[in-house]
Amino acid sequence: MDKLLIRGQRRLKGEVTISGAKNAALGILPAALLLSDVCTVENIPNILDIAILRRIMESLGARFIDIDENTLRVDATNVSSYTATGEDMHRFRGSYYLMGALLGRFKKAVVTFPGGCNFGSRPIDQHIKGFEALGAKVEIEHGHIKLTANKLTGANIYLDVVSVGATVNIMLAAVKAEGITTIENAAKEPHIVDIANFLNAMGADIKGAGTDIIRIRGVRELKGNVVHCIIPDMIEAGTYMIAAAATRGDVLVKNVIPKHMESLSAKLVEMNVKIQEYDDSIRVWAKDRLTRANIKTLPYPGFPTDLQPPAAVLLLQADGISTITESIFDNRFQYIDELKRMGAKARVEGRMAVIEGGSKLTGAPVKALDLRAGAACVLAGCVAEGITEVSNVSYIDRGYERMVEKLNSLGADIRRVSDSDGT
Ligand code: UD1
């Protein structure tokens, strides 16, 4: 597997353009399966998760035409299979959207449990509760989830936890159900709005996406020939904003929606990082000493859990003791041990990481234990003295388009080598 060799202590400077949102694309492509027709999706990030999803959808009968590197025409006319049980399903979390999409199209689906980053237990009970409320029978057999319904009927569904995945999956299954579905305590992430906008453009009737009550009036048919452009990836944008601050650099992060970045921007300002917002870009620079801060992850519009590993690298550069409280996942601090190999002074107490700022980071061999943990290792490598070797790079490929190229264009010194190079 490939490794990254990072020579650190580089101030990142210049401009970087953010790609389309991974988590929106992972919902939008399966949503195209609800349609027996063609649609075009622009601004799709060129990342591993999407390549795997595409392979699975092709195995179901979907056809893809590459219009350009980030634009795909999806033809779901001849999709005939509702069974997605191959190895690929385990490779990423977003495969769970095939449940809602196939159920919505065929009233049947047989899928394997999703994989994805290991942050402790990641149940899908709320997805299943939603499908059952719509009238599906759910059976678990040999590691597969089998969903069957004679007909799907709208229902009131109250989510016991705010879940992005369950909100989107219920939306997908309910779009063509008979009658009205209401999701209460729905997640409000921007990509939920993006997926709803895509479905509405195809003729769905979804209201309230982006609030905690979503109402879906079922429609008989969806129409094709829609062109949809995916929103920018707020987590990728946040990663580069943090990278600029952590390396005491000066970066214009382009193609972002500044409103989506508010929880991070506010935290950066609190830490004495300078921020200038424009219509669709944000300049981030840091010259002065950084102030400690406490971060608590929360569902949107709170501080995103996916940005807490990169944020830990920034807090290590600040004066004093900071904390991160993780309130979404029960085991998302494994990366702290990797940072400790680089000299980080930090400890984990249950769901809180206590981070002692001001300690010098030095290059070391570290592992990308998951996607965002991998991003944290890369940022730490850019800050540290000497050379950092990050292994398990495929995790980073899963969610960041051309990360090495983008960071190097800002002045980082990162080289990708494969194990076969003997390095
Ligand atoms: C999605 C994102 C992931 C992000 C996370 C939180 C995708 C592909 N992944 O993951 O990048 O970190 O949102 O913003 O979009 N839960 C249950 N039962 C369920 C579903 C969830 O108890 O049926 C719990 C989870 O264990 C977690 C919390 O709800 O504690 C939030 O999870 P959820 O929003 O569903 O995250 P994912 O969809 O897995």
PDB file of all heavy atoms in Angstrom, residues 292-296 308-309 311-312 315-316 321-327 332-337 339-340 345-356:
ATOM      1  N   ARG A 292      -5.874  28.838  23.208  1.00  0.00           N
ATOM      2  CA  ARG A 292      -6.522  27.540  23.467  1.00  0.00           C
ATOM      3  C   ARG A 292      -8.035  27.642  23.233  1.00  0.00           C
ATOM      4  O   ARG A 292      -8.606  28.745  23.259  1.00  0.00           O
ATOM      5  CB  ARG A 292      -6.252  27.088  24.906  1.00  0.00           C
ATOM      6  CG  ARG A 292      -6.763  28.085  25.938  1.00  0.00           C
ATOM      7  CD  ARG A 292      -6.902  27.522  27.302  1.00  0.00           C
ATOM      8  NE  ARG A 292      -7.870  26.454  27.360  1.00  0.00           N
ATOM      9  CZ  ARG A 292      -9.184  26.598  27.341  1.00  0.00           C
ATOM     10  NH1 ARG A 292      -9.738  27.808  27.224  1.00  0.00           N
ATOM     11  NH2 ARG A 292      -9.977  25.561  27.424  1.00  0.00           N
ATOM     12  N   ALA A 293      -8.677  26.502  23.058  1.00  0.00           N
ATOM     13  CA  ALA A 293     -10.140  26.511  22.891  1.00  0.00           C
ATOM     14  C   ALA A 293     -10.710  25.154  23.274  1.00  0.00           C
ATOM     15  O   ALA A 293      -9.980  24.152  23.304  1.00  0.00           O
ATOM     16  CB  ALA A 293     -10.495  26.810  21.431  1.00  0.00           C
ATOM     17  N   ASN A 294     -11.975  25.136  23.572  1.00  0.00           N
ATOM     18  CA  ASN A 294     -12.672  23.866  23.790  1.00  0.00           C
ATOM     19  C   ASN A 294     -13.613  23.644  22.616  1.00  0.00           C
ATOM     20  O   ASN A 294     -14.308  24.568  22.183  1.00  0.00           O
ATOM     21  CB  ASN A 294     -13.479  23.896  25.090  1.00  0.00           C
ATOM     22  CG  ASN A 294     -12.563  24.002  26.299  1.00  0.00           C
ATOM     23  OD1 ASN A 294     -11.409  23.572  26.241  1.00  0.00           O
ATOM     24  ND2 ASN A 294     -13.056  24.587  27.372  1.00  0.00           N
ATOM     25  N   ILE A 295     -13.624  22.411  22.138  1.00  0.00           N
ATOM     26  CA  ILE A 295     -14.481  22.076  20.985  1.00  0.00           C
ATOM     27  C   ILE A 295     -15.404  20.947  21.401  1.00  0.00           C
ATOM     28  O   ILE A 295     -14.973  19.991  22.051  1.00  0.00           O
ATOM     29  CB  ILE A 295     -13.603  21.624  19.793  1.00  0.00           C
ATOM     30  CG1 ILE A 295     -12.834  22.833  19.233  1.00  0.00           C
ATOM     31  CG2 ILE A 295     -14.446  20.973  18.704  1.00  0.00           C
ATOM     32  CD1 ILE A 295     -11.852  22.484  18.121  1.00  0.00           C
ATOM     33  N   LYS A 296     -16.668  21.071  21.012  1.00  0.00           N
ATOM     34  CA  LYS A 296     -17.606  19.957  21.237  1.00  0.00           C
ATOM     35  C   LYS A 296     -18.259  19.625  19.910  1.00  0.00           C
ATOM     36  O   LYS A 296     -18.818  20.520  19.262  1.00  0.00           O
ATOM     37  CB  LYS A 296     -18.657  20.368  22.266  1.00  0.00           C
ATOM     38  CG  LYS A 296     -19.596  19.256  22.612  1.00  0.00           C
ATOM     39  CD  LYS A 296     -20.521  19.640  23.735  1.00  0.00           C
ATOM     40  CE  LYS A 296     -21.369  18.438  24.107  1.00  0.00           C
ATOM     41  NZ  LYS A 296     -22.339  18.739  25.121  1.00  0.00           N
ATOM     42  N   GLN A 308     -12.997  17.044  13.843  1.00  0.00           N
ATOM     43  CA  GLN A 308     -12.274  17.077  15.125  1.00  0.00           C
ATOM     44  C   GLN A 308     -10.863  16.506  15.047  1.00  0.00           C
ATOM     45  O   GLN A 308      -9.948  17.058  15.689  1.00  0.00           O
ATOM     46  CB  GLN A 308     -13.112  16.568  16.302  1.00  0.00           C
ATOM     47  CG  GLN A 308     -13.506  15.097  16.302  1.00  0.00           C
ATOM     48  CD  GLN A 308     -12.583  14.212  17.100  1.00  0.00           C
ATOM     49  OE1 GLN A 308     -11.435  14.561  17.326  1.00  0.00           O
ATOM     50  NE2 GLN A 308     -13.083  13.056  17.508  1.00  0.00           N
ATOM     51  N   PRO A 309     -10.587  15.462  14.233  1.00  0.00           N
ATOM     52  CA  PRO A 309      -9.178  15.018  14.188  1.00  0.00           C
ATOM     53  C   PRO A 309      -8.233  16.094  13.616  1.00  0.00           C
ATOM     54  O   PRO A 309      -7.204  16.395  14.229  1.00  0.00           O
ATOM     55  CB  PRO A 309      -9.232  13.737  13.333  1.00  0.00           C
ATOM     56  CG  PRO A 309     -10.637  13.245  13.484  1.00  0.00           C
ATOM     57  CD  PRO A 309     -11.474  14.500  13.545  1.00  0.00           C
ATOM     58  N   ALA A 311      -8.743  19.259  13.745  1.00  0.00           N
ATOM     59  CA  ALA A 311      -8.727  20.358  14.717  1.00  0.00           C
ATOM     60  C   ALA A 311      -7.760  20.060  15.868  1.00  0.00           C
ATOM     61  O   ALA A 311      -7.159  20.981  16.436  1.00  0.00           O
ATOM     62  CB  ALA A 311     -10.135  20.614  15.256  1.00  0.00           C
ATOM     63  N   ALA A 312      -7.604  18.781  16.200  1.00  0.00           N
ATOM     64  CA  ALA A 312      -6.684  18.426  17.296  1.00  0.00           C
ATOM     65  C   ALA A 312      -5.268  18.880  16.965  1.00  0.00           C
ATOM     66  O   ALA A 312      -4.523  19.328  17.852  1.00  0.00           O
ATOM     67  CB  ALA A 312      -6.718  16.913  17.527  1.00  0.00           C
ATOM     68  N   LEU A 315      -5.079  22.530  17.751  1.00  0.00           N
ATOM     69  CA  LEU A 315      -5.055  22.799  19.196  1.00  0.00           C
ATOM     70  C   LEU A 315      -3.667  22.504  19.774  1.00  0.00           C
ATOM     71  O   LEU A 315      -3.244  23.136  20.745  1.00  0.00           O
ATOM     72  CB  LEU A 315      -6.128  21.968  19.913  1.00  0.00           C
ATOM     73  CG  LEU A 315      -7.580  22.309  19.538  1.00  0.00           C
ATOM     74  CD1 LEU A 315      -8.562  21.356  20.209  1.00  0.00           C
ATOM     75  CD2 LEU A 315      -7.924  23.749  19.900  1.00  0.00           C
ATOM     76  N   LEU A 316      -2.951  21.554  19.156  1.00  0.00           N
ATOM     77  CA  LEU A 316      -1.582  21.259  19.621  1.00  0.00           C
ATOM     78  C   LEU A 316      -0.642  22.444  19.405  1.00  0.00           C
ATOM     79  O   LEU A 316       0.419  22.533  20.016  1.00  0.00           O
ATOM     80  CB  LEU A 316      -1.033  20.024  18.884  1.00  0.00           C
ATOM     81  CG  LEU A 316      -1.564  18.674  19.377  1.00  0.00           C
ATOM     82  CD1 LEU A 316      -1.244  17.579  18.377  1.00  0.00           C
ATOM     83  CD2 LEU A 316      -1.015  18.327  20.748  1.00  0.00           C
ATOM     84  N   ILE A 321      -4.089  24.545  27.602  1.00  0.00           N
ATOM     85  CA  ILE A 321      -4.742  23.227  27.503  1.00  0.00           C
ATOM     86  C   ILE A 321      -6.128  23.383  26.887  1.00  0.00           C
ATOM     87  O   ILE A 321      -6.943  24.179  27.345  1.00  0.00           O
ATOM     88  CB  ILE A 321      -4.831  22.582  28.903  1.00  0.00           C
ATOM     89  CG1 ILE A 321      -3.398  22.293  29.387  1.00  0.00           C
ATOM     90  CG2 ILE A 321      -5.655  21.296  28.878  1.00  0.00           C
ATOM     91  CD1 ILE A 321      -3.302  21.663  30.728  1.00  0.00           C
ATOM     92  N   SER A 322      -6.382  22.596  25.848  1.00  0.00           N
ATOM     93  CA  SER A 322      -7.675  22.626  25.159  1.00  0.00           C
ATOM     94  C   SER A 322      -8.361  21.277  25.345  1.00  0.00           C
ATOM     95  O   SER A 322      -7.711  20.291  25.706  1.00  0.00           O
ATOM     96  CB  SER A 322      -7.474  22.839  23.662  1.00  0.00           C
ATOM     97  OG  SER A 322      -6.787  24.039  23.401  1.00  0.00           O
ATOM     98  N   THR A 323      -9.649  21.249  25.054  1.00  0.00           N
ATOM     99  CA  THR A 323     -10.346  19.952  25.082  1.00  0.00           C
ATOM    100  C   THR A 323     -11.182  19.779  23.815  1.00  0.00           C
ATOM    101  O   THR A 323     -11.636  20.756  23.217  1.00  0.00           O
ATOM    102  CB  THR A 323     -11.304  19.825  26.299  1.00  0.00           C
ATOM    103  OG1 THR A 323     -12.293  20.848  26.207  1.00  0.00           O
ATOM    104  CG2 THR A 323     -10.568  19.925  27.624  1.00  0.00           C
ATOM    105  N   ILE A 324     -11.361  18.503  23.456  1.00  0.00           N
ATOM    106  CA  ILE A 324     -12.336  18.165  22.410  1.00  0.00           C
ATOM    107  C   ILE A 324     -13.297  17.158  23.025  1.00  0.00           C
ATOM    108  O   ILE A 324     -12.861  16.117  23.545  1.00  0.00           O
ATOM    109  CB  ILE A 324     -11.661  17.501  21.191  1.00  0.00           C
ATOM    110  CG1 ILE A 324     -10.645  18.443  20.547  1.00  0.00           C
ATOM    111  CG2 ILE A 324     -12.715  17.092  20.179  1.00  0.00           C
ATOM    112  CD1 ILE A 324      -9.923  17.833  19.354  1.00  0.00           C
ATOM    113  N   THR A 325     -14.581  17.470  22.983  1.00  0.00           N
ATOM    114  CA  THR A 325     -15.580  16.515  23.464  1.00  0.00           C
ATOM    115  C   THR A 325     -16.299  15.952  22.245  1.00  0.00           C
ATOM    116  O   THR A 325     -16.849  16.711  21.437  1.00  0.00           O
ATOM    117  CB  THR A 325     -16.597  17.228  24.400  1.00  0.00           C
ATOM    118  OG1 THR A 325     -15.844  17.858  25.431  1.00  0.00           O
ATOM    119  CG2 THR A 325     -17.569  16.240  25.007  1.00  0.00           C
ATOM    120  N   GLU A 326     -16.254  14.640  22.106  1.00  0.00           N
ATOM    121  CA  GLU A 326     -16.870  13.985  20.947  1.00  0.00           C
ATOM    122  C   GLU A 326     -18.250  13.490  21.366  1.00  0.00           C
ATOM    123  O   GLU A 326     -18.351  12.577  22.192  1.00  0.00           O
ATOM    124  CB  GLU A 326     -15.977  12.824  20.484  1.00  0.00           C
ATOM    125  CG  GLU A 326     -16.577  11.916  19.429  1.00  0.00           C
ATOM    126  CD  GLU A 326     -17.021  12.643  18.163  1.00  0.00           C
ATOM    127  OE1 GLU A 326     -16.212  13.348  17.550  1.00  0.00           O
ATOM    128  OE2 GLU A 326     -18.216  12.511  17.796  1.00  0.00           O
ATOM    129  N   SER A 327     -19.294  14.094  20.825  1.00  0.00           N
ATOM    130  CA  SER A 327     -20.618  13.673  21.286  1.00  0.00           C
ATOM    131  C   SER A 327     -21.393  12.898  20.224  1.00  0.00           C
ATOM    132  O   SER A 327     -22.539  12.549  20.437  1.00  0.00           O
ATOM    133  CB  SER A 327     -21.422  14.882  21.770  1.00  0.00           C
ATOM    134  OG  SER A 327     -21.607  15.774  20.714  1.00  0.00           O
ATOM    135  N   ARG A 332     -13.806   7.843  18.788  1.00  0.00           N
ATOM    136  CA  ARG A 332     -13.209   8.547  17.649  1.00  0.00           C
ATOM    137  C   ARG A 332     -11.905   9.249  18.027  1.00  0.00           C
ATOM    138  O   ARG A 332     -11.539  10.250  17.409  1.00  0.00           O
ATOM    139  CB  ARG A 332     -14.210   9.546  17.078  1.00  0.00           C
ATOM    140  CG  ARG A 332     -13.875   9.832  15.638  1.00  0.00           C
ATOM    141  CD  ARG A 332     -14.834  10.653  14.875  1.00  0.00           C
ATOM    142  NE  ARG A 332     -14.353  10.675  13.487  1.00  0.00           N
ATOM    143  CZ  ARG A 332     -14.973  11.217  12.481  1.00  0.00           C
ATOM    144  NH1 ARG A 332     -16.122  11.798  12.661  1.00  0.00           N
ATOM    145  NH2 ARG A 332     -14.457  11.187  11.274  1.00  0.00           N
ATOM    146  N   PHE A 333     -11.185   8.696  19.015  1.00  0.00           N
ATOM    147  CA  PHE A 333      -9.934   9.347  19.407  1.00  0.00           C
ATOM    148  C   PHE A 333      -8.715   8.436  19.216  1.00  0.00           C
ATOM    149  O   PHE A 333      -7.655   8.713  19.757  1.00  0.00           O
ATOM    150  CB  PHE A 333     -10.005   9.786  20.870  1.00  0.00           C
ATOM    151  CG  PHE A 333     -10.842  11.020  21.089  1.00  0.00           C
ATOM    152  CD1 PHE A 333     -11.889  11.005  21.988  1.00  0.00           C
ATOM    153  CD2 PHE A 333     -10.563  12.195  20.395  1.00  0.00           C
ATOM    154  CE1 PHE A 333     -12.656  12.141  22.196  1.00  0.00           C
ATOM    155  CE2 PHE A 333     -11.330  13.339  20.594  1.00  0.00           C
ATOM    156  CZ  PHE A 333     -12.377  13.317  21.498  1.00  0.00           C
ATOM    157  N   GLN A 334      -8.888   7.357  18.426  1.00  0.00           N
ATOM    158  CA  GLN A 334      -7.736   6.444  18.283  1.00  0.00           C
ATOM    159  C   GLN A 334      -6.526   7.152  17.669  1.00  0.00           C
ATOM    160  O   GLN A 334      -5.395   6.779  17.929  1.00  0.00           O
ATOM    161  CB  GLN A 334      -8.109   5.250  17.389  1.00  0.00           C
ATOM    162  CG  GLN A 334      -9.085   4.305  18.030  1.00  0.00           C
ATOM    163  CD  GLN A 334     -10.146   3.917  17.019  1.00  0.00           C
ATOM    164  OE1 GLN A 334     -10.854   4.768  16.491  1.00  0.00           O
ATOM    165  NE2 GLN A 334     -10.250   2.638  16.724  1.00  0.00           N
ATOM    166  N   TYR A 335      -6.805   8.169  16.856  1.00  0.00           N
ATOM    167  CA  TYR A 335      -5.710   8.865  16.167  1.00  0.00           C
ATOM    168  C   TYR A 335      -4.800   9.620  17.133  1.00  0.00           C
ATOM    169  O   TYR A 335      -3.672   9.970  16.791  1.00  0.00           O
ATOM    170  CB  TYR A 335      -6.290   9.846  15.130  1.00  0.00           C
ATOM    171  CG  TYR A 335      -6.972  11.033  15.753  1.00  0.00           C
ATOM    172  CD1 TYR A 335      -6.270  12.184  16.068  1.00  0.00           C
ATOM    173  CD2 TYR A 335      -8.335  10.985  16.079  1.00  0.00           C
ATOM    174  CE1 TYR A 335      -6.895  13.266  16.673  1.00  0.00           C
ATOM    175  CE2 TYR A 335      -8.963  12.054  16.680  1.00  0.00           C
ATOM    176  CZ  TYR A 335      -8.238  13.185  16.979  1.00  0.00           C
ATOM    177  OH  TYR A 335      -8.848  14.249  17.596  1.00  0.00           O
ATOM    178  N   ILE A 336      -5.285   9.862  18.361  1.00  0.00           N
ATOM    179  CA  ILE A 336      -4.462  10.609  19.326  1.00  0.00           C
ATOM    180  C   ILE A 336      -3.162   9.851  19.603  1.00  0.00           C
ATOM    181  O   ILE A 336      -2.089  10.442  19.733  1.00  0.00           O
ATOM    182  CB  ILE A 336      -5.253  10.854  20.648  1.00  0.00           C
ATOM    183  CG1 ILE A 336      -6.433  11.808  20.401  1.00  0.00           C
ATOM    184  CG2 ILE A 336      -4.344  11.355  21.769  1.00  0.00           C
ATOM    185  CD1 ILE A 336      -6.102  13.283  20.310  1.00  0.00           C
ATOM    186  N   ASP A 337      -3.239   8.517  19.634  1.00  0.00           N
ATOM    187  CA  ASP A 337      -2.017   7.726  19.858  1.00  0.00           C
ATOM    188  C   ASP A 337      -1.023   7.923  18.723  1.00  0.00           C
ATOM    189  O   ASP A 337       0.188   7.902  18.932  1.00  0.00           O
ATOM    190  CB  ASP A 337      -2.357   6.229  19.985  1.00  0.00           C
ATOM    191  CG  ASP A 337      -2.867   5.907  21.383  1.00  0.00           C
ATOM    192  OD1 ASP A 337      -2.595   6.714  22.309  1.00  0.00           O
ATOM    193  OD2 ASP A 337      -3.548   4.874  21.542  1.00  0.00           O
ATOM    194  N   LEU A 339      -0.727  10.689  16.965  1.00  0.00           N
ATOM    195  CA  LEU A 339      -0.134  12.016  17.152  1.00  0.00           C
ATOM    196  C   LEU A 339       0.888  12.000  18.289  1.00  0.00           C
ATOM    197  O   LEU A 339       1.884  12.733  18.257  1.00  0.00           O
ATOM    198  CB  LEU A 339      -1.226  13.076  17.414  1.00  0.00           C
ATOM    199  CG  LEU A 339      -2.240  13.290  16.276  1.00  0.00           C
ATOM    200  CD1 LEU A 339      -3.241  14.383  16.643  1.00  0.00           C
ATOM    201  CD2 LEU A 339      -1.529  13.677  14.965  1.00  0.00           C
ATOM    202  N   LYS A 340       0.631  11.136  19.266  1.00  0.00           N
ATOM    203  CA  LYS A 340       1.592  11.049  20.391  1.00  0.00           C
ATOM    204  C   LYS A 340       2.952  10.545  19.914  1.00  0.00           C
ATOM    205  O   LYS A 340       3.979  10.902  20.466  1.00  0.00           O
ATOM    206  CB  LYS A 340       1.050  10.107  21.458  1.00  0.00           C
ATOM    207  CG  LYS A 340       0.029  10.740  22.383  1.00  0.00           C
ATOM    208  CD  LYS A 340      -0.255   9.725  23.443  1.00  0.00           C
ATOM    209  CE  LYS A 340      -1.297  10.128  24.417  1.00  0.00           C
ATOM    210  NZ  LYS A 340      -1.656   9.023  25.287  1.00  0.00           N
ATOM    211  N   LYS A 345       1.336  16.068  23.207  1.00  0.00           N
ATOM    212  CA  LYS A 345       0.977  15.829  24.606  1.00  0.00           C
ATOM    213  C   LYS A 345      -0.538  15.887  24.674  1.00  0.00           C
ATOM    214  O   LYS A 345      -1.135  16.966  24.564  1.00  0.00           O
ATOM    215  CB  LYS A 345       1.608  16.888  25.502  1.00  0.00           C
ATOM    216  CG  LYS A 345       3.122  16.801  25.575  1.00  0.00           C
ATOM    217  CD  LYS A 345       3.636  17.395  26.886  1.00  0.00           C
ATOM    218  CE  LYS A 345       5.133  17.267  26.986  1.00  0.00           C
ATOM    219  NZ  LYS A 345       5.845  18.434  26.463  1.00  0.00           N
ATOM    220  N   ALA A 346      -1.132  14.728  24.824  1.00  0.00           N
ATOM    221  CA  ALA A 346      -2.598  14.659  24.830  1.00  0.00           C
ATOM    222  C   ALA A 346      -3.020  13.384  25.534  1.00  0.00           C
ATOM    223  O   ALA A 346      -2.271  12.406  25.558  1.00  0.00           O
ATOM    224  CB  ALA A 346      -3.118  14.665  23.394  1.00  0.00           C
ATOM    225  N   ARG A 347      -4.190  13.415  26.120  1.00  0.00           N
ATOM    226  CA  ARG A 347      -4.725  12.183  26.708  1.00  0.00           C
ATOM    227  C   ARG A 347      -6.230  12.126  26.463  1.00  0.00           C
ATOM    228  O   ARG A 347      -6.885  13.160  26.265  1.00  0.00           O
ATOM    229  CB  ARG A 347      -4.407  12.083  28.192  1.00  0.00           C
ATOM    230  CG  ARG A 347      -5.009  13.157  29.040  1.00  0.00           C
ATOM    231  CD  ARG A 347      -4.690  12.968  30.530  1.00  0.00           C
ATOM    232  NE  ARG A 347      -5.522  13.854  31.314  1.00  0.00           N
ATOM    233  CZ  ARG A 347      -5.290  15.146  31.499  1.00  0.00           C
ATOM    234  NH1 ARG A 347      -4.222  15.703  30.970  1.00  0.00           N
ATOM    235  NH2 ARG A 347      -6.119  15.879  32.215  1.00  0.00           N
ATOM    236  N   VAL A 348      -6.737  10.890  26.456  1.00  0.00           N
ATOM    237  CA  VAL A 348      -8.158  10.707  26.202  1.00  0.00           C
ATOM    238  C   VAL A 348      -8.826  10.260  27.496  1.00  0.00           C
ATOM    239  O   VAL A 348      -8.350   9.338  28.159  1.00  0.00           O
ATOM    240  CB  VAL A 348      -8.364   9.650  25.085  1.00  0.00           C
ATOM    241  CG1 VAL A 348      -9.845   9.392  24.860  1.00  0.00           C
ATOM    242  CG2 VAL A 348      -7.707  10.125  23.784  1.00  0.00           C
ATOM    243  N   GLU A 349      -9.890  10.951  27.873  1.00  0.00           N
ATOM    244  CA  GLU A 349     -10.662  10.567  29.061  1.00  0.00           C
ATOM    245  C   GLU A 349     -12.084  10.332  28.597  1.00  0.00           C
ATOM    246  O   GLU A 349     -12.852  11.284  28.452  1.00  0.00           O
ATOM    247  CB  GLU A 349     -10.628  11.688  30.108  1.00  0.00           C
ATOM    248  CG  GLU A 349      -9.246  11.916  30.692  1.00  0.00           C
ATOM    249  CD  GLU A 349      -9.169  13.160  31.583  1.00  0.00           C
ATOM    250  OE1 GLU A 349     -10.211  13.836  31.776  1.00  0.00           O
ATOM    251  OE2 GLU A 349      -8.064  13.441  32.060  1.00  0.00           O
ATOM    252  N   GLY A 350     -12.417   9.095  28.302  1.00  0.00           N
ATOM    253  CA  GLY A 350     -13.759   8.773  27.802  1.00  0.00           C
ATOM    254  C   GLY A 350     -14.013   9.477  26.487  1.00  0.00           C
ATOM    255  O   GLY A 350     -13.304   9.260  25.512  1.00  0.00           O
ATOM    256  N   ARG A 351     -15.016  10.332  26.480  1.00  0.00           N
ATOM    257  CA  ARG A 351     -15.375  11.014  25.233  1.00  0.00           C
ATOM    258  C   ARG A 351     -14.696  12.368  25.088  1.00  0.00           C
ATOM    259  O   ARG A 351     -15.098  13.193  24.277  1.00  0.00           O
ATOM    260  CB  ARG A 351     -16.874  11.190  25.180  1.00  0.00           C
ATOM    261  CG  ARG A 351     -17.581   9.873  24.857  1.00  0.00           C
ATOM    262  CD  ARG A 351     -18.840  10.199  24.161  1.00  0.00           C
ATOM    263  NE  ARG A 351     -19.431   9.021  23.554  1.00  0.00           N
ATOM    264  CZ  ARG A 351     -20.395   9.093  22.667  1.00  0.00           C
ATOM    265  NH1 ARG A 351     -20.850  10.249  22.272  1.00  0.00           N
ATOM    266  NH2 ARG A 351     -20.910   7.997  22.166  1.00  0.00           N
ATOM    267  N   MET A 352     -13.658  12.597  25.943  1.00  0.00           N
ATOM    268  CA  MET A 352     -12.970  13.883  25.846  1.00  0.00           C
ATOM    269  C   MET A 352     -11.472  13.669  25.614  1.00  0.00           C
ATOM    270  O   MET A 352     -10.868  12.783  26.205  1.00  0.00           O
ATOM    271  CB  MET A 352     -13.180  14.674  27.140  1.00  0.00           C
ATOM    272  CG  MET A 352     -12.574  16.068  27.063  1.00  0.00           C
ATOM    273  SD  MET A 352     -12.523  16.879  28.660  1.00  0.00           S
ATOM    274  CE  MET A 352     -14.199  17.383  28.827  1.00  0.00           C
ATOM    275  N   ALA A 353     -10.916  14.472  24.739  1.00  0.00           N
ATOM    276  CA  ALA A 353      -9.454  14.484  24.585  1.00  0.00           C
ATOM    277  C   ALA A 353      -8.957  15.784  25.202  1.00  0.00           C
ATOM    278  O   ALA A 353      -9.532  16.853  24.959  1.00  0.00           O
ATOM    279  CB  ALA A 353      -9.074  14.423  23.116  1.00  0.00           C
ATOM    280  N   VAL A 354      -7.924  15.659  26.038  1.00  0.00           N
ATOM    281  CA  VAL A 354      -7.326  16.838  26.655  1.00  0.00           C
ATOM    282  C   VAL A 354      -5.997  17.064  25.936  1.00  0.00           C
ATOM    283  O   VAL A 354      -5.153  16.154  25.872  1.00  0.00           O
ATOM    284  CB  VAL A 354      -7.101  16.602  28.170  1.00  0.00           C
ATOM    285  CG1 VAL A 354      -6.461  17.832  28.810  1.00  0.00           C
ATOM    286  CG2 VAL A 354      -8.416  16.253  28.845  1.00  0.00           C
ATOM    287  N   ILE A 355      -5.850  18.243  25.367  1.00  0.00           N
ATOM    288  CA  ILE A 355      -4.722  18.497  24.474  1.00  0.00           C
ATOM    289  C   ILE A 355      -3.866  19.620  25.022  1.00  0.00           C
ATOM    290  O   ILE A 355      -4.354  20.731  25.257  1.00  0.00           O
ATOM    291  CB  ILE A 355      -5.254  18.851  23.065  1.00  0.00           C
ATOM    292  CG1 ILE A 355      -5.929  17.595  22.508  1.00  0.00           C
ATOM    293  CG2 ILE A 355      -4.147  19.333  22.144  1.00  0.00           C
ATOM    294  CD1 ILE A 355      -6.642  17.768  21.240  1.00  0.00           C
ATOM    295  N   GLU A 356      -2.600  19.286  25.259  1.00  0.00           N
ATOM    296  CA  GLU A 356      -1.685  20.288  25.805  1.00  0.00           C
ATOM    297  C   GLU A 356      -0.974  20.967  24.643  1.00  0.00           C
ATOM    298  O   GLU A 356      -0.204  20.320  23.927  1.00  0.00           O
ATOM    299  CB  GLU A 356      -0.650  19.558  26.662  1.00  0.00           C
ATOM    300  CG  GLU A 356      -0.420  20.216  27.999  1.00  0.00           C
ATOM    301  CD  GLU A 356       0.529  19.386  28.826  1.00  0.00           C
ATOM    302  OE1 GLU A 356       0.084  18.358  29.384  1.00  0.00           O
ATOM    303  OE2 GLU A 356       1.704  19.753  28.871  1.00  0.00           O
TER     304      GLU A 356
END
